[in-house]
Amino acid sequence: MNIAFVISESFCVVPYHGIKIQAQTWGMELSRQGHTVTYVSPWDTQKWEQYDVIHLFGYNELIEDLGDLWKKNRNIVFSPIIDTKQNLFLYKLITYWGCNKLRLKSTNYNIRRAKPYIKHWYVRSKFEFDYVNKAYGVAKEDITIVRLSYKIAPPVHLAEKKDFCLHVSKLTDGRKNVLRLVKAAQKYKFNLVLAGSISSEEDFHPIKQIIDSCPNISYLGRVSDEKLLSLYHEAKVFALPSINEGVGLVAVEAAACGCNIVVTNVGGPKEYYNGMAYEVDPQNSDEIGRAIVEALKDTRSQPDLQKYILSNYSLESCVSLLAESYRELVQQ
């Protein structure tokens, strides 16, 4: 198949934007499986009719005038990437807020207007499925869950784990909830290792103050892929207590490497662990702290969790599901 991938130009500002990485990862595996994938650039003139499928990832400029593209190719599919902490009722209300004639628009409103031109929707979780189905009114048969996959090469045998909890993210991103995590480590005295980038020293200051006063908390900065894999192998626990999160692939990869997982109970991430992760209220630092202490003592969850992750979230199997769905759409 000949497939076009389209993302917003704005996703290219951040070198490790999650939506961009998702599209690139799927695109590389589709190419490996024998398909042709074009990453659409606004600098290139496109012959949209040549593509079997046009796949839009996240909100982008084409959504606002999708009817024009639909006249050239009706096999348009969309991954909306819904990471929200709004309840479903409020989210649905926002999809109706707007007036095209007055140019009063919102992202959700524009997606609702584009719905008639979208042939199929791809989501990453049942949480996201429900928002597409109930907020945008998309029929269930027009939505497919394609789970995200781990990208690392997991170990054949679990190494002996060390007594620490790992967290990896952009540490100053408020939704990652790092301040509550370090406060939990401060109070409950567990060993915590933080890795990742920061936006500025000023934004990082409240977190750094606690790190500097707690010998049990280490900050490594941004680490290489090789170092990250080593940390996955060593850590007994990986914590992802985000206030809102789509999937949290770092936690999936950590689980594939044998870490016990402490994960937010908000949104879709908890669905990936089949009940074998410790789910926490991200607004409660005590709950986060107690769960991590318990997970550090846990000798039962692994290797069962690792086996589940490896069996269900390989890149080949996840992208094969996507490719098969494409084929069915083209044949309709």
Side-chain angles (χ1 to χ4, degrees):
M1 285 182 291
N2 191 10
I3 306 157
F5 275 11
V6 184
I7 65 172
S8 170
E9 298 170 52
S10 64
F11 298 162
C12 301
V13 175
V14 180
Y16 299 98
H17 196 289
I19 297 175
K20 177 182 176 183
I21 291 173
Q22 176 182 336
Q24 287 177 324
T25 302
W26 282 1
M28 287 187 289
E29 178 60 20
L30 284 167
S31 297
R32 192 194 69 79
Q33 293 185 16
H35 306 287
T36 300
V37 178
T38 298
Y39 302 94
V40 172
S41 167
W43 292 99
D44 299 329
T45 300
Q46 296 296 325
K47 294 181 179 179
W48 295 106
E49 299 85 351
Q50 71 179 313
Y51 298 113
D52 296 304
V53 175
I54 300 169
H55 194 150
L56 281 60
F57 289 83
Y59 186 84
N60 62 68
E61 296 78 8
L62 284 179
I63 290 291
E64 297 187 26
D65 297 299
L66 203 55
D68 292 338
L69 178 58
W70 184 80
K71 294 173 184 176
K72 299 177 181 179
N73 191 321
R74 297 192 175 187
N75 287 334
I76 300 171
V77 302
F78 183 38
S79 292
I81 317 294
I82 299 173
D83 299 340
T84 183
K85 56 183 179 181
Q86 280 184 325
N87 67 54
L88 189 50
F89 176 75
L90 289 176
Y91 189 96
K92 182 176 181 178
L93 281 181
I94 296 171
T95 71
Y96 288 100
W97 189 91
C99 177
N100 198 42
K101 290 182 179 179
L102 297 177
R103 297 186 180 181
L104 296 175
K105 302 177 183 180
S106 68
T107 297
N108 295 7
Y109 173 76
N110 283 336
I111 291 174
R112 176 172 283 281
R113 288 183 63 245
K115 186 180 72 167
Y117 309 111
I118 298 171
K119 194 170 186 179
H120 205 76
W121 303 61
Y122 293 98
V123 298
R124 305 160 297 170
S125 64
K126 181 62 167 58
F127 171 85
E128 204 169 21
F129 183 102
D130 288 341
Y131 273 71
V132 171
N133 172 234
K134 297 174 182 177
Y136 291 109
V138 178
K140 292 181 178 180
E141 59 268 25
D142 293 331
I143 313 169
T144 297
I145 298 176
V146 179
R147 305 282 185 181
L148 298 194
S149 56
Y150 55 86
K151 304 187 299 298
I152 49 90
V156 177
H157 302 289
L158 289 183
E160 184 175 348
K161 292 292 188 176
K162 297 181 181 179
D163 187 36
F164 72 90
C165 173
L166 175 64
H167 174 81
V168 181
S169 71
K170 184 175 182 179
L171 302 176
T172 49
D173 182 346
R175 70 188 183 93
K176 298 297 183 181
N177 211 20
V178 176
L179 185 57
R180 283 195 182 91
L181 178 59
V182 296
K183 286 181 177 178
Q186 183 183 39
K187 181 173 181 178
Y188 289 89
K189 308 299 181 184
F190 58 83
N191 295 320
L192 175 64
V193 175
L194 301 172
S197 59
I198 61 173
S199 53
S200 69
E201 292 295 337
E202 181 181 359
D203 291 340
F204 190 51
H205 181 69
I207 298 170
K208 190 173 185 301
Q209 275 189 310
I210 298 175
I211 294 173
D212 290 344
S213 66
C214 296
N216 58 307
I217 306 177
S218 303
Y219 167 56
L220 305 181
R222 183 166 187 84
V223 298
S224 66
D225 290 344
E226 292 77 12
K227 176 62 175 176
L228 178 57
L229 186 59
S230 175
L231 290 168
Y232 285 155
H233 289 176
E234 294 174 358
K236 179 69 182 291
V237 174
F238 189 97
L240 186 76
S242 308
I243 293 170
N244 67 292
E245 187 78 56
V247 172
L249 269 182
V250 283
V252 175
E253 293 185 341
C257 292
C259 296
N260 291 334
I261 302 299
V262 175
V263 67
T264 178
N265 65 8
V266 176
K270 60 184 180 291
E271 297 177 25
Y272 277 66
Y273 306 99
N274 198 34
M276 288 182 277
Y278 291 81
E279 299 172 18
V280 296
D281 176 0
Q283 305 289 345
N284 189 326
S285 60
D286 285 313
E287 193 169 318
I288 294 168
R290 288 192 294 266
I292 291 173
V293 169
E294 187 175 348
L296 285 166
K297 297 175 182 177
D298 183 357
T299 58
R300 297 171 298 170
S301 298
Q302 292 288 9
D304 290 346
L305 177 55
Q306 181 197 38
K307 292 176 181 177
Y308 178 80
I309 296 292
L310 298 183
S311 297
N312 289 277
Y313 306 130
S314 73
L315 183 58
E316 181 178 3
S317 62
C318 292
V319 173
S320 293
L321 173 63
L322 178 68
E324 182 58 32
S325 178
Y326 285 164
R327 289 190 193 96
E328 291 176 1
L329 291 177
V330 170
Q331 291 169 3
Q332 290 177 4

